Amino acid sequence: MNSGRREVKVKRVSSRKRSRETHLQTHLQTHLQTHLTPARKRAGGDTCPQQCASSWRLRSIMTDSRAADPSFCSDSEDLFGDYDSILDDSSVLAKLDDAEHDERRRDASDQPDFTSLRTPKSAREDVLTDSILDVLDDEPFEDLPPSQLQFQEEVCEKAKRSRRLDGEKTSTPLRDAVRSAEAGTGRNTEVRAAKARRSVTEQLKRTLVCNAAAPSGVSRSVVLKEAVLSEEMSVAMETVSAESTDLGPFFGLPSKVKDLMLKLRGIRSLYDWQETCLNLDCVRDRKNLIYSLPTSGGKTLVAEILVLRELLCRKKDCLFVLPYISLVQEKVRGLASFGLELDFMVEEYAGSKGKFPPVKRRNKASLYIATIEKAHSLVNSLIEAGRVDNLGLVVVDELHMLGDGSRGAVIEMTLAKVLYTSKTTQVIGMSATLGNIRDLQTFLRAENYSDDFRPVQLKEYVKLKDTIYEVDPKEEDCLRFSRLLNFKYSSSMQKIDPDHIIALVTEVIPTHSCLVFCPTKKNCENVAGMICKYLKEDFLRHREVEKGVLLRELKDSGNGSVCPVLRRTVPYGLAYHHSGLTSEERKLVEEAYSSGVLCLLACTSTLAAGINLPARRVILRSPYVATDFLKRSQYKQMVGRAGRAGIDTTGESILILQDKDRKMTLLSLRGDVLSQLLLDGGKGLLSLILSLIGLKITTSSEQLRDFLCGTLLYVQQRQLCVDTSLWELVQRCVDVLKDKDLVTETADAHSQTLNVTKLGKATYKGSVDLSFSAALYKDLSSGLEALMLNSFLHLVYLVTPYDMVSQCKPDWMTFFRQFTLLSDAEQKMSAAVGVPESFVARKAAGQTVKKSVDMQVVRRMYLALVLFTLLKETNLWSVADRFQLSRGFVQTLLSSSSAFCSCVLHFTEELEEFWPFKALLTELTRRLSYCVKAELIPLMEVAGVMEFRAKQLYDAGYKTLTHLANADPAILSKTIDNLFNKQANQIVASAKMLVKEKAAALQEEVDDLLMTPSDLPSETRRL
């Protein structure tokens, strides 16, 4: 039996010592080849001299092993350094095959002729398998490493154990054949034999490949060297992985993102321009970008995809800047579901919400969605904490607002600081229209992409008297005749509606929707009331049931009160929309318009920049916003609302012009964006310089100049700094800050250094207007001397916004009546700040007051009384009625006070003498933010949940944030009246994200407490 055996020898590869760098490079190359080479190619490279079935199976097993475990290397590579290997000697496989063939031929010649019963193929394979084991058993390998010797012993031991269990089953073909015949099919024997064969070859191959991992008698130095190499390999692969930002087929994102877009947004594919924009070289290279398209073109989706790429691929935080609180809340609700599915945090920074600096998360990236002012404070806090590099992307929506007064100055400050302090943060700006795009490109060091794509065609018209003209840039005056109006108006109707607004809107409503933009809030209400007077009764029957539900909801949100104008217009499907509505009223009106219950809104220009409410026809009642002529950006935003994607094929806009405005053609609508840092005597520049010195971004005049070279003001200095050079203005600002005791300057032998004072630091960290900084400090200092703690009135007075005082004119009789309701301590406090009862009584009686009284303090006290009453009663309608103020003004006063209270809190935290205010103002901020009963506050923390909805949820049993986070959206929508499925899903997702955010913050605090300090004194240091 042994005479035909061939000797199988295993070659021992000499252990060549390679440098660690060579090892690392080779291992990385092999690792990447294993990842990137198709399985077929990898298998093809694994050849043997003899092409037989057995060798093919071994190659297949090898290929499968490598595909399953990417750590395997190619056959020609010695991955194990000083360990022994047989991988370089591929002839061992050929010799193994030759041995098998010889055994097959020898057994065939020695085997008797069983003509009555053939031996199954599986049995013959069993014989071959055992005979090979015999060969391996009789002649042990020479010069093998311990791991391979161990493998040989294990294989032989298994073979012996198998023989003892099975007797002579596998060594006697006759018995196998008989047993197979008795079984009827022989299937079990074939499977068992095949498994036996595969198990040997598979174990052999895998053990040889994984030789280094097996226990062996290798020296400790070799083990340590391999451990170091393994660690370096891990670090190197992490580096390679971090540099790769491509995680999938959807613009570098996983397919799951595309599925979520379809599931949550109904988006199946992107527009051509969106794909082009996302594939731009500058986007791939993470360069700054400004892109502009008409309203409703899909700009926001591109920004969201870029945000997701930054969060998921680069694991960096992102900042999304939006102009209004309502837009921030809408975006938080819309992206909360993505955050839950893709494992990132969505944090709201609006009003009094937001933590400075934000919680530092070790394992998750965060998306900060912020208003303009909160974004500036957030960037300041990140710079101060040394974490601005963690901010991978900043997206600014409505970039044209750079030219919008004081808010534009704040945007410029924010972007300039990001560009100066971080070289890795990408800035993306988007807008519907930008006139001087080159100035903005220079400022942001950005590429530009623009397109005129609209999903629905827009036709722009201008109405002059009884004629409609179409806007056509090819014409000399940009206008081309379209049609004459031939509406049959009575003389009385002509007087009421000389602009034919009623006729223009009834051409589209109620079948289609219409927006009428008006110059003032009062004009909105008048237009809505005028139109419904002349509508037919058919309008009353259109969706009558839904309009009845809307009126009931409006009544419930007003605690039994409904606006008289809305009570008259809603049955006809009309409403008005401006800041005079409460937050809940605006939300109900917007939802009713979106669902088609309302077919017309008379609104101000703020709606165009707010939530997306498209219409078939948009009418601009006048080319003015208040008393200012319309800007091009405002015009484009308004007319951009015309045309509803997926519903309308075209959209129409009509601008109504009077004869006096005829010369102000569309060509005169300027779209240039100008820096606002010099507005109001340079308030923006003063604030910028103070924060730069306070954050230690600049500490000298030379560094200030260097920073200001990166601002929009510097780009436009020839246009804006006509009389005085920019550097002279900078020096003047530094002098003003010195005079206000906000900045000091120290000189040494070589230079002069600028430093911020404690008051200056408190001012910029609290985002307090420099005009009110000294007054606030004085009021707080006086308050400490006799602070009244048995009532909120004194604290409320201290946080009443200074900038709202000028908007209030007290009703003296109301003032006196409310003053007499105060307690003695509260009246004493009022007298202490400068508003005695005698003064109020004399003014109420119409008498002259000889004693000089500061009217600014009086008006501020009047507003404080409004807030104080609102905190006690929590009924905005009744308070507004009692003080003869519009409910919209009271709502604005409340939100402004909560935001200012948060600013004062940060102001006092920087000044040690004001330490008692910290705890007091924290609670007051919370109360002013919601102004509801305490049990509703947790529910109202969820983005978009107003008081009325919170009451509904509380009454239905959802009493805590945890209840809401664990709610079933389907059950929630059925339980709560008039809550659609989409809204229920967004509420639950927002609640889950909020719970997740709070839990993560607590976990981070726990981790910090349990972490060993890096500067812990050591034993050697003490010695």
Side-chain angles (χ1 to χ4, degrees), residues 116-131:
S116 58
L117 188 61
R118 287 185 175 273
T119 304
K121 182 180 179 181
S122 61
R124 291 198 299 272
E125 287 182 352
D126 249 354
V127 175
L128 291 175
T129 302
D130 286 350
S131 65

Side-chain angles (χ1 to χ4, degrees), residues 184-450:
T185 61
R187 184 167 59 251
N188 293 336
T189 306
E190 291 179 9
V191 173
R192 188 166 56 250
K195 281 186 177 179
R197 169 66 190 270
R198 283 196 300 270
S199 65
V200 174
T201 55
E202 190 171 339
Q203 283 196 52
L204 177 61
K205 186 66 178 178
R206 289 187 178 180
T207 302
L208 295 180
V209 173
C210 300
N211 183 36
S216 61
V218 185
S219 67
R220 179 169 178 79
S221 62
V222 174
V223 173
L224 292 175
K225 188 193 298 182
E226 288 298 320
V228 172
L229 177 62
S230 175
E231 179 65 23
E232 291 180 350
M233 276 284 295
S234 175
V235 172
M237 290 312 300
E238 286 180 4
T239 304
V240 172
S241 176
E243 291 175 355
S244 174
T245 59
D246 193 342
L247 294 183
F250 186 63
F251 302 101
L253 290 165
S255 298
K256 184 177 182 180
V257 176
K258 185 177 182 180
D259 297 337
L260 287 173
M261 287 290 180
L262 178 59
K263 176 184 175 183
L264 300 176
R265 301 280 181 83
I267 299 173
R268 294 184 178 275
S269 60
L270 271 63
Y271 297 129
D272 291 342
W273 83 264
Q274 291 172 327
E275 295 195 6
T276 301
C277 185
L278 287 168
N279 288 314
L280 291 173
D281 290 339
C282 63
V283 174
R284 292 181 174 180
D285 297 340
R286 296 191 68 257
K287 294 181 180 178
N288 299 341
L289 174 68
I290 300 170
Y291 64 99
S292 57
L293 281 96
T295 302
S296 304
K299 298 185 296 294
T300 305
L301 179 60
V302 170
E304 289 176 351
I305 291 174
L306 293 175
V307 165
L308 291 175
R309 271 200 342 208
E310 197 70 22
L311 291 166
L312 303 181
C313 301
R314 299 189 71 246
K315 305 295 183 183
K316 291 287 187 178
D317 299 332
C318 297
L319 172 60
F320 206 127
V321 185
L322 295 162
Y324 303 114
I325 294 176
S326 59
L327 290 180
V328 169
Q329 293 176 339
E330 182 189 16
K331 188 63 67 179
V332 169
R333 290 197 304 271
L335 291 176
S337 297
F338 285 90
L340 293 173
E341 293 285 347
L342 301 172
D343 199 27
F344 63 85
M345 307 301 296
V346 179
E347 301 183 34
E348 178 183 349
Y349 280 77
S352 60
K353 292 184 179 179
K355 183 176 175 59
F356 303 106
V359 176
K360 187 176 182 180
R361 309 189 190 282
R362 296 183 179 87
N363 302 318
K364 291 182 182 179
S366 293
L367 170 57
Y368 311 116
I369 304 177
T371 57
I372 294 169
E373 293 77 14
K374 285 291 183 178
H376 184 224
S377 298
L378 179 65
V379 168
N380 282 345
S381 68
L382 290 173
I383 292 172
E384 187 175 31
R387 291 166 48 191
V388 71
D389 285 334
N390 292 338
L391 200 60
L393 176 64
V394 176
V395 176
V396 180
D397 196 5
E398 312 295 355
L399 186 64
H400 64 268
M401 291 189 73
L402 270 167
D404 187 17
S406 59
R407 305 193 82 202
V410 175
I411 297 175
E412 184 176 349
M413 287 188 275
T414 304
L415 294 178
K417 288 175 183 176
V418 170
L419 292 169
Y420 189 84
T421 58
S422 175
K423 305 305 179 185
T424 60
T425 303
Q426 184 184 15
V427 176
I428 303 290
M430 52 182 172
S431 178
T433 176
L434 292 168
N436 51 340
I437 187 65
R438 292 194 179 277
D439 286 355
L440 300 182
Q441 281 185 259
T442 305
F443 165 43
L444 296 178
R445 304 189 282 277
E447 302 286 336
N448 176 44
Y449 176 83
S450 59

Side-chain angles (χ1 to χ4, degrees), residues 446-465:
E447 302 286 336
N448 176 44
Y449 176 83
S450 59
D451 200 301
D452 58 358
F453 170 81
R454 276 183 57 90
V456 178
Q457 182 186 3
L458 172 63
K459 294 182 179 180
E460 298 177 50
Y461 298 96
V462 169
K463 177 186 175 294
L464 283 165
K465 295 185 177 180

Side-chain angles (χ1 to χ4, degrees), residues 23-79:
H23 253 314
L24 187 58
Q25 182 179 1
T26 306
H27 292 177
L28 276 172
Q29 182 179 1
T30 306
H31 190 88
L32 293 174
Q33 285 177 349
T34 309
H35 270 298
L36 301 176
T37 306
R40 189 174 299 173
K41 285 190 177 183
R42 293 202 299 270
D46 214 4
T47 56
C48 292
Q50 298 182 12
Q51 301 296 329
C52 61
S54 175
S55 63
W56 180 88
R57 277 195 297 271
L58 286 172
R59 287 197 306 272
S60 176
I61 292 169
M62 183 61 182
T63 303
D64 292 342
S65 299
R66 285 187 299 182
D69 188 350
S71 64
F72 291 154
C73 64
S74 63
D75 285 0
S76 62
E77 176 64 28
D78 180 10
L79 182 63

Side-chain angles (χ1 to χ4, degrees), residues 928-941:
L928 288 171
S929 297
Y930 304 105
C931 195
V932 294
K933 295 180 179 178
E935 62 265 21
L936 298 181
I937 290 179
L939 298 176
M940 291 188 65
E941 288 180 350

Side-chain angles (χ1 to χ4, degrees), residues 951-964:
K951 288 179 180 178
Q952 285 183 311
L953 293 168
Y954 190 86
D955 293 339
Y958 300 97
K959 299 186 177 183
T960 65
L961 191 60
T962 308
H963 282 140
L964 207 51

